Amino acid sequence: MATETELKGKIRTKVVQLTGELGRKPVVVGDDDLLLEKGILDSAAVLELLVWLEVEFDLELDLDELSLDNFGSIDKMAAFLMARSGG
Amino acid sequence: MAFPIRTPRVNNNDDIVRLISLAASPGTFVSAGDLVAEIETDKATFAVEAEHAGYVLAYLHEVGANVAVGSVLAWMGDSQDEAIPAPDMPASRKGAAAEPTLRAALLLAEFGVAADEVTAAGDRLSVTDVEAHVALRGLVRRATPATTGPAARVARPAYVLPGVAADVQDLSVTERGMLRTVTWHRDEAVTGYVEIAYDFAAWEAYGSAFQREHKLLLNPVLSLMAYQLAALRDRNPKYNATVEGERKVLYHPVNVGFTVQGGDRLYLTVVSGAEQLTAREFVLRLLALQKAAMRGKLEAAETSGATIGFTSMARWGVVRHQPILPPFTSLMVAHAAPLNGQAALGASYDHRLLTGADVVAALNFLKEPPADEG
């Protein structure tokens, strides 16, 4: 399992890629930015991000795990993944 | 010299019109522009006027008759005793059939109709003549091998969803008229499209409130709009229906089809029995389907059986799109991105079952979120 810092880097790269696919201007994404609330990604793009996380990290996310507390920002996602992997 | 008044086309969809009145008796002199007859379709009434002054010699149809567009409606002449040319007389009056063109002859054989049963609009019996004849009588192509009797008249596949409970009813007179008059949608839906302008702000606020209340990660506003489709069935069962032959099939469950882009594939995911789900259950069920679609893990049952549909291209900035109607359904709603603060909500629909007014009523219902707070 990657370190939390490496995880954040991977997720950040994916977020920037998704913003580009949405046709949005390049953005600087802070690790604590709330991706939906700040309008960095739309709901469908966040869903794409979740699916990417499942594939990339070989896990299956339950619907009740899909919360702002777990996936609202890059920080929260990395923390969730670390906790999931026991790291 | 005699000259014809031909049956005008009232609108692009109708090859057959109904003669509803005759304005002048044979032998009467009319001036150019005088009314000679009135015709109608299911959508409009139209006054047929004399293009030139002259005497009305004869009408070739009686009031109430269905008449092919382009065929001779009446003959006029410079004097009352002009002879009416034979070729444009109905075949039955001439006592001999007009010779069919090759394609018309093939079509006659397909429907098991004799040439002398069909009225020719011109010198030769054309495909248009045959199509008008079979449409008027609701005939369908013969089964193969050809047999006789009513059973031979049904040779089409069953256009209904397998395994979806439904009530089957005969079409109303108006619906049957639409089915037979617009000949090319007799067997399959040819969609109409309408849209309304509306303010999306109310839905945005509703979706955000729902998201907060249920602690959801994703804004469920589009899912909630799709969920509102489930309530349409009780307002008018024809929104959740299809046409099979000359019957309408009114589905019991509301199986909401919702388009999902998964990579380079577009899926129509289906939430079955939406009318029995709470809004939250619907949102979560659809979320699971969206996730499965994006991972390419949808089961066959999760992409089949839609009885009504919803699609959105708003995330790509599309402000108007006309969706394809899923098979065996009558309504597909299209959500789009606002333009200058004004959003459009549109729908493709099966014109055999629904009128534009029906669909506008549905869209007006869908444009407002429910009165509760989600």
Side-chain angles (χ1 to χ4, degrees):
Chain A
M1 183 72 182
T3 66
E4 190 163 344
T5 303
E6 289 169 337
L7 279 178
K8 289 179 185 177
K10 277 189 167 185
I11 297 169
R12 196 181 308 115
T13 301
K14 183 64 180 176
V15 169
V16 171
Q17 179 200 327
L18 288 169
T19 60
E21 289 174 4
L22 281 173
R24 297 179 179 177
K25 291 177 182 174
V27 290
V28 176
V29 184
D31 289 350
D32 59 351
D33 284 342
L34 293 174
L35 299 175
L36 276 165
E37 285 194 10
K38 289 196 73 171
I40 296 167
L41 297 178
D42 65 6
S43 286
V46 170
L47 188 56
E48 281 188 49
L49 180 60
L50 295 173
V51 169
W52 175 80
L53 289 172
E54 285 188 335
V55 174
E56 186 71 16
F57 300 104
D58 192 24
L59 49 90
E60 188 92 26
L61 299 171
D62 292 334
L63 292 181
D64 54 15
E65 291 178 313
L66 304 184
S67 65
L68 282 171
D69 286 344
N70 291 336
F71 295 97
S73 67
I74 293 172
D75 274 345
K76 290 174 188 288
M77 289 182 207
F80 174 83
L81 292 172
M82 294 299 291
R84 253 298 193 99
S85 66
Chain B
M1 178 181 173
F3 48 92
I5 296 176
R6 293 194 178 272
T7 309
R9 182 173 290 283
V10 178
N11 63 55
N12 288 335
N13 287 344
D14 294 311
D15 295 328
I16 304 287
V17 298
R18 198 162 30 257
L19 180 61
I20 57 173
S21 74
L22 305 175
S25 303
T28 306
F29 181 83
V30 295
S31 302
D34 281 354
L35 183 70
V36 292
E38 285 183 303
I39 57 176
E40 69 171 8
T41 67
D42 288 328
K43 295 175 180 171
T45 301
F46 189 84
V48 182
E49 298 172 351
E51 291 183 16
H52 309 283
Y55 291 90
V56 175
L57 301 177
Y59 290 99
L60 301 192
H61 305 275
E62 295 177 351
V63 170
N66 291 304
V67 184
V69 169
S71 67
V72 176
L73 183 66
W75 280 101
M76 291 183 61
D78 295 328
S79 67
Q80 290 175 295
D81 52 1
E82 297 279 0
I84 298 172
D88 269 314
M89 289 290 285
S92 58
R93 293 192 186 186
K94 289 187 292 180
E99 182 185 356
T101 63
L102 176 59
R103 287 182 59 217
L106 292 171
L107 199 56
L108 287 167
E110 284 183 39
F111 284 91
V113 174
D116 62 4
E117 293 178 46
V118 182
T119 302
D123 294 340
R124 301 281 301 276
L125 196 62
S126 67
V127 168
T128 303
D129 296 329
V130 179
E131 288 175 341
H133 177 90
V134 300
L136 193 60
R137 290 157 180 79
L139 302 180
V140 295
R141 286 174 170 80
R142 296 195 305 184
T144 302
T147 58
T148 57
R153 292 179 178 271
V154 180
R156 292 172 289 105
Y159 288 122
V160 293
L161 283 168
V164 178
D167 289 328
V168 179
Q169 299 176 1
D170 289 336
L171 295 175
S172 68
V173 172
T174 305
E175 291 160 350
R176 199 161 53 245
M178 177 60 74
L179 187 78
R180 292 177 177 179
T181 306
V182 186
T183 56
W184 55 79
H185 75 181
R186 186 191 62 211
D187 291 339
E188 295 175 29
V190 176
T191 54
Y193 174 80
V194 296
E195 68 180 28
I196 61 168
Y198 76 113
D199 184 356
F200 189 57
W203 267 111
E204 276 186 316
Y206 182 80
S208 296
F210 191 99
Q211 183 181 15
R212 283 193 300 275
E213 181 185 345
H214 295 280
K215 301 186 186 341
L216 301 176
L217 172 64
L218 307 177
N219 189 319
V221 65
L222 294 182
S223 302
L224 292 168
M225 291 182 81
Y227 177 64
Q228 188 126 310
L229 290 176
L232 278 179
R233 181 199 63 177
D234 293 335
R235 300 175 74 84
N236 183 346
K238 291 197 295 183
Y239 294 133
N240 192 59
T242 191
V243 172
E244 202 284 321
E246 294 204 347
R247 300 172 303 168
K248 56 192 166 199
V249 179
L250 309 172
Y251 299 119
H252 292 175
V254 184
N255 300 340
V256 177
F258 189 100
T259 54
V260 178
Q261 189 78 37
D264 58 356
R265 290 188 175 185
L266 181 67
Y267 298 95
L268 185 70
T269 59
V270 180
V271 179
S272 298
E275 79 285 359
Q276 296 183 351
L277 302 177
T278 65
R280 177 185 167 79
E281 288 170 338
F282 181 90
V283 167
L284 293 180
R285 177 70 186 135
L286 186 51
L287 177 60
L289 291 174
Q290 289 171 304
K291 204 153 74 70
M294 289 180 176
R295 293 201 64 171
K297 288 186 169 180
L298 284 169
E299 302 287 336
E302 294 170 331
T303 57
S304 61
T307 59
I308 194 167
F310 185 94
T311 184
S312 174
M313 294 190 74
R315 74 173 305 222
W316 294 284
V318 174
V319 295
R320 172 178 289 114
H321 60 116
Q322 182 178 345
I324 294 171
L325 192 63
F328 322 128
T329 67
S330 65
L331 188 68
M332 179 76 161
V333 173
H335 169 267
L339 178 64
N340 300 325
Q342 188 75 65
L345 193 63
S348 294
Y349 61 99
D350 185 341
H351 204 299
R352 299 172 300 179
L353 271 182
L354 298 171
T355 65
D358 290 333
V359 181
V360 168
L363 295 176
N364 278 325
F365 172 68
L366 294 173
K367 76 178 184 182
E368 301 285 350
D372 66 83
E373 295 177 356

